[in-house]
Amino acid sequence: MFPLLETERLILRELVEDDAQDILNCFSNAEVLRYYGQKSLTSLDQVKQIIRNFSANYDEKRGIKWGIEQKETCSIIGTIGFQDWSLEHKRAEISYALFPEKWGNGYAKEAVNKVISYGFEELGLERIGAVVFVENNASNNLLTKLGFIKEGTLRKYMYQNDIPYDTNIYSLLKKN
């Protein structure tokens, strides 16, 4: 059963095909994708296939992706999850994206905190990593505030719109 997580203002839930339009709106937005390392999504069919892929990744214990739903509106305002999840090595990488109109309201911090706790307490992770564009000041600052340690910079590691970007690599280790 897919885990449902709840915070003060948010519900983190499984993405379903009915969410496709919201996901398309998010991941076709140039502001959202500016530091995401992904091409713009272009169709509902493409998004529905991605949602099915998320489900398969969870079933195969390779990743987990939640929709971030705002309680007061019952609408998706972004996504968060783990990819490159390794049961054997007890690690995963976190990624998240919010609609620009929701930036600066503490939603990312709220969602990231909840997912980190879930990763350490329920998934048995010992390490959570993050790869962030050097220019993405908001995410770099958020991760640092949450205790992530910058391990270094990966040069020309990700491309956005066919332009190479350097990324910072972060980790947070489980406190024993």
Side-chain angles (χ1 to χ4, degrees), residues 82-137:
F82 291 124
Q83 61 274 345
D84 298 326
W85 175 15
S86 172
L87 290 171
E88 179 183 5
H89 299 292
K90 300 179 186 210
R91 67 173 185 243
E93 285 191 5
I94 195 168
S95 66
Y96 46 90
L98 293 174
F99 287 5
E101 60 269 19
K102 300 301 179 180
W103 294 351
N105 294 304
Y107 293 120
K109 181 179 181 184
E110 199 171 318
V112 171
N113 262 329
K114 189 67 175 183
V115 169
I116 287 169
S117 294
Y118 182 81
F120 288 142
E121 294 168 16
E122 302 299 324
L123 298 180
L125 300 177
E126 292 289 328
R127 173 193 166 92
I128 297 173
V131 177
V132 181
F133 281 56
V134 168
E135 296 83 0
N136 189 343
N137 293 326

Side-chain angles (χ1 to χ4, degrees), residues 7 23 50 52 54 65 68 90 100 111-113 123:
T7 70
I23 299 302
I50 289 169
R52 288 190 292 272
F54 289 154
K65 186 71 79 171
I68 302 171
K90 300 179 186 210
V112 171
N113 262 329
L123 298 180

Side-chain angles (χ1 to χ4, degrees), residues 5 19 21 32-33 42 44-45 56 58 60 81-82 85 102 107 120 123 135 151 157 162:
L5 306 179
D19 297 317
Q21 187 62 59
V32 172
L33 295 177
T42 58
L44 286 174
D45 287 337
Y58 177 69
E60 297 166 13
F82 291 124
W85 175 15
K102 300 301 179 180
Y107 293 120
F120 288 142
L123 298 180
E135 296 83 0
E151 295 181 334
Y157 189 71
D162 294 321

Side-chain angles (χ1 to χ4, degrees), residues 48-62:
K48 288 176 182 179
Q49 183 57 53
I50 289 169
I51 290 170
R52 288 190 292 272
N53 292 345
F54 289 154
S55 182
N57 282 341
Y58 177 69
D59 291 343
E60 297 166 13
K61 304 294 186 234
R62 292 182 304 166

Side-chain angles (χ1 to χ4, degrees), residues 5-85:
L5 306 179
E6 191 171 340
T7 70
E8 181 181 338
R9 301 178 295 165
L10 305 171
I11 293 174
L12 308 181
R13 62 164 177 80
E14 185 172 16
L15 290 164
V16 295
E17 288 193 12
D18 286 348
D19 297 317
Q21 187 62 59
D22 289 333
I23 299 302
L24 179 61
N25 293 345
C26 186
F27 289 97
S28 61
N29 183 309
E31 281 297 297
V32 172
L33 295 177
R34 184 172 46 159
Y35 302 128
Y36 208 72
Q38 171 183 307
K39 290 185 178 178
S40 178
L41 299 180
T42 58
S43 74
L44 286 174
D45 287 337
Q46 180 187 31
V47 175
K48 288 176 182 179
Q49 183 57 53
I50 289 169
I51 290 170
R52 288 190 292 272
N53 292 345
F54 289 154
S55 182
N57 282 341
Y58 177 69
D59 291 343
E60 297 166 13
K61 304 294 186 234
R62 292 182 304 166
I64 183 170
K65 186 71 79 171
W66 288 272
I68 302 171
E69 183 178 289
Q70 194 174 3
K71 283 182 181 177
E72 67 184 39
T73 63
C74 297
S75 62
I76 293 287
I77 62 169
T79 64
I80 188 166
F82 291 124
Q83 61 274 345
D84 298 326
W85 175 15

